């Protein structure tokens, strides 16, 4: 990794954080200055939403039940909405306190631990709590997500009482799972790829982690405290939820803990001038692109599965693939090849491209001459500015919220076929991109962008970073899949994009250094 915190620095700093590499999403990055979030509806001087107060969300559940995945997903959604949110993973503080490559005492994870182990746990817990208070009190934070097991009823009541003294509401979220297959898959794919098991044999690592779970089961107490706010599967105990807490519960009803891949591709080209008003069909070149793209994707998925099996992973069949398109002809026809192969295709009207308004069919020179003041405003803030009778990227992000929630509900792998403006916004959500960077993301047609959602099996790049403090499984990961044998004429970005100046250069993207994919990799 390029900018990892050392264990000593991580243990001592009051603001424990890290910077993502170029292929890991930015959900654990905190911006140096306060900026509007991609789908933020309003801002305040304090940076907090009105009438929402400060909230600590505390996870509850045995290990490998998806608590961290829920914590990260919820942080992603709330930050997308403009709620200043940060996830505090207790395991990070343990690793930072002990130091990389060092082990905790053998009884550290057991309830009846030795005095030295109890003191170490208290030290780790104290540091995590201090950072939560600093975030909420000194950084204008609004939601802190405390990701830990929190197994005992008495401990949860004491935690809520402690936060209440500081006028902080506590919402507990219990993640329960009794499907042994999902639990073992989570352990095998995620937990043993963490820094805790560097150098371990995979089978021994699985056995050791399952023993940690077994040790906690007799002492774990499920959420039944009627005096506390909590969400448990589909049981909700509401002692006085406010607006923000209701939004959190609404999101939780849409999320699951299974891994998924999301693929981003552009629609094919047409013979007619490509515009917002003209709903043209694919040209012969566009249909050829759709066929090559589809074959490349299917081959890549097959090779990924074969590589996973060769490395000792599960030999389960591939996840089903569902294709989502807009209701525009080009996107639907781009998916025809896959539909004819038996794959399910669904149209989504919300995935229509950004409306350019008066900018349609105007050249850059004409736009600058006719609307010089609008161009100046757009150059100052290309994400939030809208031209007359047009949409801004912010408008598009708000329009796409139902798609985002449906994407969170989706259990199959998903191929998104859409206009570049739509791909930018959806990619920006999954990779926690800064709003100012989203208009600069480019999706040339000679690439498929794959985003692997956590929790998932570790990729080669993830395994290379196993010496880090924060496990790679906490984040989404993206990479490029080159599409071979395409003519240069169809590769460049969308010429109808209204970002000024209009650049048609065929550059590779999404851009590096902005929580974006790694350099292109070779595929067969």
């Amino acid at each position: 990794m390029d900018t990892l915190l050392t264990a000593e620095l991580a243990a001592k700093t009051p603001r424990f954080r890290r910077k993502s590499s170029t292929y890991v999403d930015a959900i654990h990055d905190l911006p140096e200055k306060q900026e509007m979030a991609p789908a933020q509806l309003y801002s305040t001087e304090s940076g907090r939403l009105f009438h929402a107060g400060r909230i600590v969300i505390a996870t509850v559940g045995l290990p490998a039940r998806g608590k961290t995945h829920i914590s990260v997903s919820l942080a992603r959604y709330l930050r997308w909405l403009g709620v200043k949110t940060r996830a505090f993973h207790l395991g990070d503080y343990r690793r930072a306190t002990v130091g990389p490559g060092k082990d905790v005492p053998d009884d550290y994870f057991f309830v009846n631990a030795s005095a030295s182990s109890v003191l170490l746990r208290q030290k780790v817990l104290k540091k995590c709590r201090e950072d939560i208070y600093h975030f909420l009190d000194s950084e204008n934070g609004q939601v802190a997500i405390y990701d830990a097991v929190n197994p005992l009823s008495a401990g949860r009541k004491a935690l809520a009482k402690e936060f209440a003294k500081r006028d902080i509401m506590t919402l507990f979220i219990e993640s329960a799972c009794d499907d042994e297959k999902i639990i073992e898959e989570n352990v095998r794919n995620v937990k043993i790829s963490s820094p805790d098991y560097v150098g371990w044999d995979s089978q021994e690592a699985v056995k050791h982690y399952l023993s940690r779970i077994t040790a906690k089961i007799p002492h774990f107490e499920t959420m039944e405290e009627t005096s506390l706010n909590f969400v448990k599967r589909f049981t909700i105990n509401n002692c006085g939820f406010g607006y923000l807490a209701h939004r959190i519960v609404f999101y939780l009803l849409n999320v699951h803990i299974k891994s998924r891949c999301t693929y981003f591709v552009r629609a094919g080209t047409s013979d007619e001038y490509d515009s917002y008003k003209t709903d043209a069909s694919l040209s012969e070149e566009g249909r050829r692109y759709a066929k090559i793209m589809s074959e490349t994707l299917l081959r890549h998925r097959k090779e990924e599965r074969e590589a996973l099996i060769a490395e000792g992973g599960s030999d389960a069949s591939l996840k089903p693939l569902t294709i989502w398109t807009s209701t525009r002809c080009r996107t639907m026809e781009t998916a025809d090849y896959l539909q004819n192969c038996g794959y399910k295709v669904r149209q989504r009207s919300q995935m229509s491209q950004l409306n350019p308004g008066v900018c349609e069919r105007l050249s850059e020179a004409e736009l600058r001459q006719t609307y010089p003041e609008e161009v100046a405003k757009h150059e100052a803030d290309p994400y939030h500015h809208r031209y007359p009778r047009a949409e801004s990227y912010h408008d598009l992000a708000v329009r796409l919220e139902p798609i985002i929630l449906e994407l969170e509900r989706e259990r199959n792998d998903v191929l998104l076929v859409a206009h570049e403006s739509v791909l930018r916004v959806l990619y920006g959500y999954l990779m926690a991109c800064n709003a100012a960077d989203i208009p600069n993301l480019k999706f040339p047609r000679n690439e498929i962008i794959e985003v692997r959602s956590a929790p998932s099996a570790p990729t080669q790049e993830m395994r290379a970073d196993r010496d880090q403090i924060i496990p790679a499984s906490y984040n989404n990961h993206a990479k490029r899949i080159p599409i071979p044998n395409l003519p240069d004429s169809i590769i460049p970005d969308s010429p109808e994009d209204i970002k000024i100046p209009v650049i048609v250069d065929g550059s590779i993207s999404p851009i590096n250094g902005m929580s974006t994919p790694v350099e292109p990799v070779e595929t067969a």
Side-chain angles (χ1 to χ4, degrees), residues 96-352:
T97 302
V98 175
K102 298 180 181 179
D103 295 328
V104 295
D106 292 337
D107 62 347
Y108 179 88
F109 296 103
F110 293 81
V111 174
N112 54 344
S114 63
S116 59
S117 293
V118 171
L119 287 175
L120 177 59
R121 289 200 308 228
Q122 291 175 345
K123 180 181 179 181
V124 172
L125 184 60
K126 181 175 181 291
K127 184 60 194 161
C128 184
R129 299 270 181 87
E130 287 175 351
D131 281 1
I132 290 175
Y133 291 140
H134 188 279
F135 173 69
L136 295 175
D137 295 338
S138 303
E139 299 183 35
N140 284 330
Q142 185 151 30
V143 175
I145 303 177
Y146 175 43
D147 176 24
V149 175
N150 292 310
L152 302 179
S153 175
R156 295 191 290 262
K157 290 178 180 177
L159 186 67
K161 185 176 180 179
E162 178 185 337
F163 287 132
K165 291 178 181 178
R166 294 174 176 256
D167 197 26
I168 300 170
M169 190 189 92
T170 308
L171 172 63
F172 292 93
I173 298 175
E174 179 174 348
S175 178
C177 178
D178 53 13
D179 188 326
E180 295 298 330
K181 183 178 179 181
I182 294 177
I183 295 171
E184 184 171 347
E185 181 183 5
N186 193 12
V187 172
R188 189 174 299 279
N189 289 345
V190 179
K191 299 301 181 181
I192 67 171
S193 65
S194 81
D196 291 340
Y197 292 103
V198 174
W200 283 58
D201 174 77
S202 60
Q203 296 300 326
E204 289 297 319
V206 170
K207 182 179 178 181
H208 181 267
Y209 196 87
L210 290 175
S211 71
R212 282 166 53 177
I213 297 176
T214 302
K216 290 181 180 293
I217 288 177
H219 307 280
F220 180 79
E221 298 171 358
T222 188
M223 289 291 307
E224 294 178 346
E225 303 92 309
T226 57
S227 61
L228 301 180
N229 295 314
F230 68 84
V231 178
K232 174 183 172 183
R233 282 189 172 180
F234 295 105
T235 301
I236 301 173
N237 191 65
N238 183 351
C239 298
F241 285 177
Y243 165 77
L244 186 53
H246 277 97
R247 288 299 296 261
I248 291 168
V249 173
F250 173 68
Y251 173 79
L252 291 173
L253 295 175
N254 290 277
V255 73
H256 61 81
I257 63 173
K258 291 187 175 182
S259 62
R260 184 193 64 245
C261 285
T262 305
Y263 304 97
F264 295 76
V265 297
R266 292 268 301 282
T269 55
S270 65
D271 287 329
E272 302 180 41
Y273 179 84
D274 190 14
S275 71
Y276 180 78
K277 296 178 181 178
T278 304
D279 193 14
S281 295
L282 289 181
S283 63
E284 186 61 35
E285 186 180 64
R287 286 189 288 272
R288 186 163 56 252
Y289 157 80
K291 182 175 184 295
I292 296 174
M293 178 275 294
S294 301
E295 292 173 343
T296 300
L297 176 61
L298 297 180
R299 182 171 62 250
H300 167 75
R301 283 166 52 81
K302 180 180 178 182
E303 291 171 350
E304 286 277 290
R305 178 176 179 269
E306 291 173 349
L308 180 63
I309 294 174
E311 294 176 359
S314 171
D315 61 352
S317 57
L318 283 169
K319 275 184 175 291
L321 176 67
T322 302
I323 297 88
W324 293 7
T325 75
S326 72
T327 53
R328 310 276 292 184
C329 282
R330 287 195 303 123
T331 62
M332 292 189 294
E333 292 175 3
T334 301
D336 280 349
Y337 180 88
L338 289 169
Q339 188 171 33
N340 293 334
C341 292
Y343 291 92
K344 186 176 182 180
V345 178
R346 304 170 69 180
Q347 288 83 38
R348 294 287 179 268
S349 60
Q350 298 98 327
M351 288 176 59
S352 294

Side-chain angles (χ1 to χ4, degrees), residues 32-73:
E32 294 181 0
K33 61 180 181 178
Q34 185 67 25
E35 297 177 338
M36 286 194 70
Q40 188 167 341
L41 297 181
Y42 66 88
S43 61
T44 64
E45 186 176 348
S46 69
R48 298 190 180 116
L49 300 185
F50 292 123
H51 313 303
R54 298 177 301 168
I55 300 175
V56 168
I57 297 173
T59 61
V60 177
L62 291 165
R65 263 59 176 184
K67 298 184 302 298
T68 296
H69 174 62
I70 290 174
S71 300
V72 172
S73 298

